Amino acid sequence: MASSVIASRPRARPAHTSGTTKCAYTPDGTKLVTVGSNNTIRVYKTGSDGEPDNVDDCQEQNVAVSTSNKFFVVGSEDGTLAYYSLETNMFDRLLTRTSLPVRDVALSPDDKWCAVASDELTVKLVNMEDTTNLLTLKEHGEQTKHISFDPKGTMLAVSCTNGIIYIYSLTADHPELIRKVDGVIGRVQTDSEASTKVVWHPDGRAFAVPTPTRDIQVVSKNDWEKQRVFSNGHEGDVTALAWSPNGALLASAGKDRKLLIWSTKDQSVVARYEYPNVVDIAWHPTKNLASFTTSNGEVFISPEFVSEQFASMLKLPRQPAPFIHDPLEGISHGLDKQPLPSRPRAGTPDSFDDLLDDDVVEEDDFVVDDDGAGYALNTGRKRPADDTTDGQPPSKRANYALQLQHHPPFQPGSTPWRGNRKYLCLNLIGFIWTVDQDSHHTVTVEFYDHEFHRDFHFTDTFLYDQACLTNTGSLFSCPPKDDAPAVVFYRPHETWTQRNDWRISLPKGEAVLAMALGENFITVTTTANYVRVYTLFGIPYRVYRPKSSPVVTCAGWNDYIMTIGNGPVGADGMSRLLYSIYNIKRDEICQNEDIVALPDGASLKSVFFSDVGDPCIYDTTGTLLTLLHWRLPSRAYWVPLLSTSLLPRLASGRKKESYFPIAVADSKFHCIILKGGDQYPYFPRPLLSEFEFSIPLSGPPKPKKSKPANDDDDMMLDQSSDSDGEDDAAGESDKLIQGFMLKSIQASQLDDLLDATQSTASQRALRSRLSLEIDKTLLQLLAVECREGGEERGMRALEVVKLMRDTSGKMIEAAGKIAERYGRTVLGEKIREYGEERVGKQIRSRSDGRMSTHNHRGFGSGDESDF
């Protein structure tokens, strides 16, 4: 954009003596308040060219001001924070006092709190109604130069002299330090004219702040990473910064005598003015009007601040903050990831008259675009909305609102953009990550095992945003852009011929939702609600439309693919996820639109096949589940393998962490541990961690009791020794039960595999070994029952014997010997009777010519009559 010059230069108004001079408009824009070095405060009426109202009863060296519609507060270098009434233009009361000079003040958006920054090492929060209600922020421990509330008043940004921005959360009873943003602002003195003030964008998702390199850096609130930068504008330190009310423009001033207006969308300068010593800028809330002050004590009120060429930008609705990759855009194909809130229905759910009332059953759009995300497309109404009283719609009873929400699509193993970087794929083979270089991306593929594969990277002009990685190759996709279609790109690692990369373009307007790369096939789900299947050499093999849509994600292994999509809406307004599993080569459906087992309020975080080819999911409750009997139509069900919320490392309650799922391999859960509230891993790449499976059977382990402090507690120790012994026995029993259940799940999945394929000798040997291990575990459990319990636990012990899988009778004979060893005579007799009965059944079966074909699936092996 070409920069403009000011149409009519505003005159300087000598409002104060030379020194720091600040200004602020009231939220309704009717008045402008200026403060400065002298003991007079000026109140200008908007639209009037006359003399301002003066407030003479004030301190000198006023360095900060913040306004509401009825009052304003002023901070002075003498350490006072004063309250002034705009109705009387007089001093009202003293709010608080600091021992060192005040540097900045800020009113919360609801005008209930005032933050005060000073040369002290703390920041004060003063309640405007009760000044004795005072909160102190002391975790930063540095002198503070600037403070600023975010637009919702839930966060306070504190810019300190050590070059760090401290972010406090104000949602709890006492403010909590949640983030330190380092490496953005420079080290400055509290009395320096150079600004390090955080200026929140009107949409509240990011803030802008001057940098030591004389640029203006945008930082996102979601991950506190650097986003777009306003650069090459100033040649001196930036002294003032302000967004336009709709966020479409940014005004900045510097020591280089320049006052610039930037376009938020492309970070270009649209206006360039020459004003020396500007230290503060304030936009009018609604008009093309801005005011700014200088260190000479002058005030400039500039009508038509933005030239006619760009004035239309101020009339736009609220514009988004300038992100490198805007989260509001969702994934690259434009699907909005935010849930769509429905419009509240008037009336009551049980009134037939209300249901038929034309005033209730409206035919207008029910989507409320209350956050400016742009998804309310149909703004026409049949009639005006119902009147409300105190924010509540008139109704005889409580109103009900249904929140219709779809699960957003995601690529397993990938992360969102964080700044200009993101992981495209993370698994046990390696990882793929990309860096946005504005004009292009740079993609890096790294492997864990360098003996088989070599790392590589390349310049990406297609701007790939999704990827998969296996031992055979890497798969990429890019979104459609302008007239260019979406592209799927496959790069094999090595072939016995010359390596043949290939690309396939999707139909115009069709974008990729998720991809899967298996040993034999490539699966691509798209926004056109198609599942496209290709061979590894790019030959289209299948194209079909899944029943559940829109598609959420997919996974592949060998000849199988698993797709997950949104199904019918549940009682909570959230779509139920449905999954299907296909054998592509055989053209068979293993599971058809079955439900993904998620608890209420939970969502899916990842889906993948294990190293032996069993489907697994990981949800937001921290639970890992696998699918049993998934090759048998309508027989599949989800079984938990691990609940990370019950891990012993979290039992104390002092450690807060989450886990990013990577894979299931070697009967372990591989993941990345995330700390500090992070939801996704970032750079540098963290190490992988692994956890043994542990089916959630009980709560986390109890902490061990401490040793008594003196001899008087010996009696207590003696009394507790019996219970401690019982706890140890229970712990040993729980461990054995855990092993029995896990081995039973593994055996069940192996049985299904052998039934569906041509088994090998090693697989059959593994099945026999698993059955033997299960029986050994049950023998150990039987020993615990016999050792710790009396005859009253005989029935439980006998039930353990009936769970054994061995058909030769040797394990039952061993069980009888264990019972005799611990003196359980009655139990031993019952075990021998059961063994004879079981052998008799087998003999009768053989005599009738009916050999037993029981596959020992599930957690038991005997007939139902055994129990």
Side-chain angles (χ1 to χ4, degrees):
M1 291 185 178
S3 62
S4 63
V5 295
I6 194 167
S8 58
R9 186 179 181 88
R11 63 182 178 89
R13 304 172 187 237
H16 306 279
T17 57
S18 180
T20 300
T21 307
K22 295 299 179 73
C23 62
Y25 278 101
T26 56
D28 59 10
T30 58
K31 296 177 180 179
L32 173 73
V33 181
T34 67
V35 299
S37 299
N38 58 344
N39 59 351
T40 300
I41 298 173
R42 312 286 187 185
V43 180
Y44 296 85
K45 293 183 179 179
T46 302
S48 173
D49 202 28
E51 290 297 318
D53 295 331
N54 295 332
V55 181
D56 297 324
D57 186 15
C58 66
Q59 308 294 325
E60 293 184 352
Q61 303 300 326
N62 299 307
V63 295
V65 60
S66 186
T67 62
S68 74
N69 289 328
K70 295 183 179 180
F71 65 89
F72 62 93
V73 293
V74 176
S76 306
E77 285 192 355
D78 64 356
T80 58
L81 176 66
Y83 179 107
Y84 296 86
S85 171
L86 280 173
E87 297 176 353
T88 62
N89 286 334
M90 294 180 62
F91 170 79
D92 188 282
R93 62 184 183 272
L94 191 66
L95 295 176
T96 190
R97 182 184 295 273
T98 61
S99 59
L100 295 175
V102 171
R103 297 303 177 185
D104 199 6
V105 299
L107 284 170
S108 62
D110 59 5
D111 299 330
K112 293 182 178 180
W113 294 86
C114 181
V116 188
S118 67
D119 286 354
E120 295 179 351
L121 304 184
T122 60
V123 170
K124 293 182 179 180
L125 280 175
V126 185
N127 188 283
M128 300 302 296
E129 297 179 355
D130 180 12
T131 56
T132 60
N133 185 3
L134 185 68
L135 300 177
T136 303
L137 283 58
K138 56 181 66 174
E139 283 83 354
H140 54 280
E142 295 285 343
Q143 291 182 329
T144 304
K145 182 171 175 60
H146 299 290
I147 49 177
S148 57
F149 287 93
D150 78 320
K152 293 183 179 180
T154 59
M155 292 185 181
L156 181 70
V158 178
S159 301
C160 292
T161 55
N162 62 348
I164 298 177
I165 302 172
Y166 297 85
I167 307 294
Y168 285 88
S169 172
L170 307 179
T171 55
D173 292 338
H174 192 278
E176 177 185 3
L177 179 64
I178 60 173
R179 194 74 180 190
K180 298 178 182 179
V181 182
D182 198 359
V184 180
I185 63 174
R187 293 176 176 267
V188 293
Q189 298 298 319
T190 53
D191 57 355
S192 171
E193 287 190 3
S195 174
T196 58
K197 186 178 182 67
V198 165
V199 183
W200 292 91
H201 189 274
D203 71 0
R205 299 182 302 133
F207 61 78
V209 64
T211 68
T213 57
R214 302 166 181 175
D215 296 329
I216 301 166
Q217 179 67 58
V218 177
V219 178
S220 63
K221 186 178 75 171
N222 183 45
D223 53 18
W224 311 108
E225 291 296 325
K226 296 179 181 178
Q227 299 296 329
R228 298 294 183 185
V229 60
F230 297 80
S231 58
N232 302 322
H234 289 284
E235 297 175 354
D237 290 337
V238 177
T239 56
L241 205 61
W243 294 102
S244 65
N246 65 348
L249 298 170
L250 176 68
S252 65
K255 289 184 177 181
D256 54 358
R257 306 170 61 95
K258 293 180 181 178
L259 195 158
L260 306 179
I261 301 178
W262 307 74
S263 169
T264 300
K265 185 175 183 180
D266 57 8
Q267 301 87 54
S268 63
V269 177
V270 300
R272 194 184 305 269
Y273 306 144
E274 292 286 339
Y275 287 97
N277 305 321
V278 175
V279 293
D280 201 11
I281 304 173
W283 290 83
H284 190 275
T286 57
K287 298 181 179 180
N288 183 6
L289 171 66
S291 299
F292 47 94
T293 56
T294 70
S295 57
N296 298 328
E298 299 171 327
V299 177
F300 293 83
I301 301 177
S302 177
E304 308 302 324
F305 183 58
V306 181
S307 65
E308 183 179 356
Q309 180 182 359
F310 303 105
S312 59
M313 299 177 69
L314 291 175
K315 300 178 182 179
L316 296 172
R318 188 178 63 192
Q319 299 298 294
F323 284 78
I324 297 176
H325 293 276
D326 195 338
L328 274 185
E329 296 177 357
I331 57 176
S332 55
H333 47 72
L335 287 181
D336 190 0
K337 288 189 176 183
Q338 304 298 323
L340 303 182
S342 67
R343 181 178 174 177
R345 177 172 65 87
T348 62
D350 54 356
S351 173
F352 183 71
D353 292 335
D354 284 347
L355 292 176
L356 296 182
D357 189 356
D358 190 48
D359 288 335
V360 175
V361 186
E362 300 188 38
E363 297 179 1
D364 58 346
D365 62 304
F366 66 91
V367 177
V368 180
D369 188 6
D370 58 352
D371 63 357
Y375 47 71
L377 301 179
N378 179 17
T379 57
R381 290 182 179 271
K382 182 178 179 180
R383 56 180 54 82
D386 295 336
D387 295 333
T388 60
T389 303
D390 296 330
Q392 300 295 328
S395 62
K396 292 178 291 184
R397 300 178 188 176
N399 289 278
Y400 295 84
L402 183 63
Q403 301 291 329
L404 303 177
Q405 300 181 45
H406 278 317
H407 291 263
F410 68 91
Q411 177 66 32
S414 67
T415 68
W417 286 99
R418 188 167 174 180
N420 64 340
R421 296 169 179 247
K422 73 172 292 187
Y423 287 107
L424 300 180
C425 179
L426 286 162
N427 59 28
L428 292 183
I429 305 297
F431 53 98
I432 304 176
W433 53 283
T434 184
V435 179
D436 189 334
Q437 308 285 2
D438 290 335
S439 61
H440 64 277
H441 293 180
T442 54
V443 176
T444 303
V445 180
E446 296 188 30
F447 298 91
Y448 291 111
D449 193 341
H450 291 96
E451 292 185 2
F452 289 92
H453 305 292
R454 290 183 300 175
D455 300 342
F456 64 91
H457 67 275
F458 59 91
T459 299
D460 168 26
T461 58
F462 288 87
L463 309 183
Y464 297 122
D465 63 346
Q466 296 185 57
C468 300
L469 181 65
T470 65
N471 279 319
T472 57
S474 51
L475 179 69
F476 302 88
S477 72
C478 69
K481 186 176 182 181
D482 301 330
D483 294 332
V487 173
V488 176
F489 168 55
Y490 178 70
R491 171 181 172 139
H493 298 323
E494 292 181 2
T495 61
W496 57 274
T497 61
Q498 183 177 0
R499 193 182 68 209
N500 186 20
D501 303 346
W502 55 264
R503 286 184 177 87
I504 290 181
S505 298
L506 298 183
K508 185 177 181 180
E510 189 172 344
V512 175
L513 290 175
M515 306 185 302
L517 177 59
E519 287 77 3
N520 301 321
F521 295 100
I522 291 170
T523 305
V524 178
T525 61
T526 70
T527 53
N529 197 26
Y530 285 126
V531 176
R532 300 181 179 274
V533 182
Y534 305 90
T535 68
L536 294 185
F537 293 95
I539 301 175
Y541 194 81
R542 291 276 191 277
V543 178
Y544 66 92
R545 177 163 286 174
K547 298 175 184 177
S548 55
S549 65
V551 175
V552 175
T553 189
C554 62
W557 177 80
N558 208 347
D559 297 332
Y560 295 94
I561 63 170
M562 179 179 182
T563 61
I564 298 178
N566 287 282
V569 177
D572 58 354
M574 175 68 76
S575 295
R576 294 292 179 257
L577 290 181
L578 303 179
Y579 73 93
S580 296
I581 300 178
Y582 306 87
N583 187 308
I584 296 300
K585 185 169 289 186
R586 295 182 183 177
D587 198 18
E588 294 177 352
I589 298 178
C590 300
Q591 302 297 323
N592 187 20
E593 302 299 314
D594 200 359
I595 294 177
V596 179
L598 294 176
D600 291 340
S603 58
L604 192 63
K605 291 193 70 173
S606 188
V607 57
F608 44 82
F609 283 85
S610 69
D611 58 337
V612 293
D614 292 305
C616 299
I617 61 173
Y618 185 79
D619 61 28
T620 51
T621 66
T623 305
L624 173 71
L625 301 101
T626 189
L627 193 61
L628 284 188
H629 307 314
W630 57 272
R631 293 179 177 87
L632 305 176
S634 302
R635 291 277 304 276
Y637 59 94
W638 294 96
V639 176
L641 294 176
L642 176 67
S643 177
T644 56
S645 62
L646 301 179
L647 289 174
R649 58 190 287 125
L650 302 180
S652 65
R654 295 189 297 268
K655 184 179 295 186
K656 301 295 183 182
E657 60 188 28
S658 59
Y659 308 91
F660 183 81
I662 297 296
V664 167
D666 300 327
S667 297
K668 295 178 182 178
F669 174 54
H670 298 261
C671 63
I672 294 174
I673 299 176
L674 304 174
K675 300 181 182 295
D678 289 340
Q679 296 298 317
Y680 300 95
Y682 193 56
F683 300 86
R685 178 181 55 82
L687 298 176
L688 297 183
S689 301
E690 58 184 39
F691 294 102
E692 299 283 350
F693 293 158
S694 179
I695 298 174
L697 302 177
S698 60
K702 298 179 181 179
K704 294 184 178 181
K705 297 180 181 179
S706 59
K707 186 178 180 179
N710 51 56
D711 295 338
D712 294 338
D713 294 330
D714 286 347
M715 182 176 296
M716 184 182 299
L717 179 61
D718 294 338
Q719 293 174 350
S720 64
S721 60
D722 293 340
S723 61
D724 290 343
E726 293 176 0
D727 291 342
D728 293 340
E732 183 181 0
S733 177
D734 291 344
K735 185 177 180 180
L736 292 172
I737 293 174
Q738 187 76 235
F740 161 69
M741 294 189 68
L742 289 173
K743 289 184 177 69
S744 297
I745 292 174
Q746 186 180 359
S748 178
Q749 291 177 329
L750 181 59
D751 287 340
D752 289 341
L753 174 63
L754 299 187
D755 290 345
T757 60
Q758 294 181 354
S759 60
T760 63
S762 60
Q763 290 174 330
R764 292 190 294 270
L766 176 60
R767 177 163 61 179
S768 300
R769 188 164 61 251
L770 277 175
S771 297
L772 181 61
E773 290 177 358
I774 291 173
D775 287 349
K776 287 182 177 179
T777 302
L778 292 173
L779 285 177
Q780 293 174 343
L781 183 59
L782 175 65
V784 173
E785 294 294 329
C786 293
R787 184 178 69 246
E788 302 298 334
E791 295 294 345
E792 70 276 1
R793 299 181 68 170
M795 295 186 66
R796 176 182 170 94
L798 181 60
E799 188 178 51
V800 170
V801 176
K802 292 180 179 181
L803 292 173
M804 293 181 177
R805 299 180 172 223
D806 177 53
T807 58
S808 66
K810 293 181 179 180
M811 287 297 176
I812 296 179
E813 182 181 352
K817 293 180 180 180
I818 291 176
E820 292 176 357
R821 177 183 177 185
Y822 289 98
R824 305 291 184 252
T825 306
V826 176
L827 175 61
E829 292 177 357
K830 294 291 184 181
I831 292 175
R832 281 192 295 272
E833 291 176 3
Y834 169 71
E836 293 172 358
E837 180 183 355
R838 188 165 179 175
V839 171
K841 287 182 180 180
Q842 294 176 357
I843 294 175
R844 289 193 298 271
S845 177
R846 293 191 186 97
S847 64
D848 293 339
R850 293 181 284 105
M851 296 297 296
S852 175
T853 57
H854 188 55
N855 286 328
H856 309 294
R857 291 184 183 163
F859 298 149
S861 62
D863 297 333
E864 292 182 1
S865 61
D866 293 342
F867 295 94

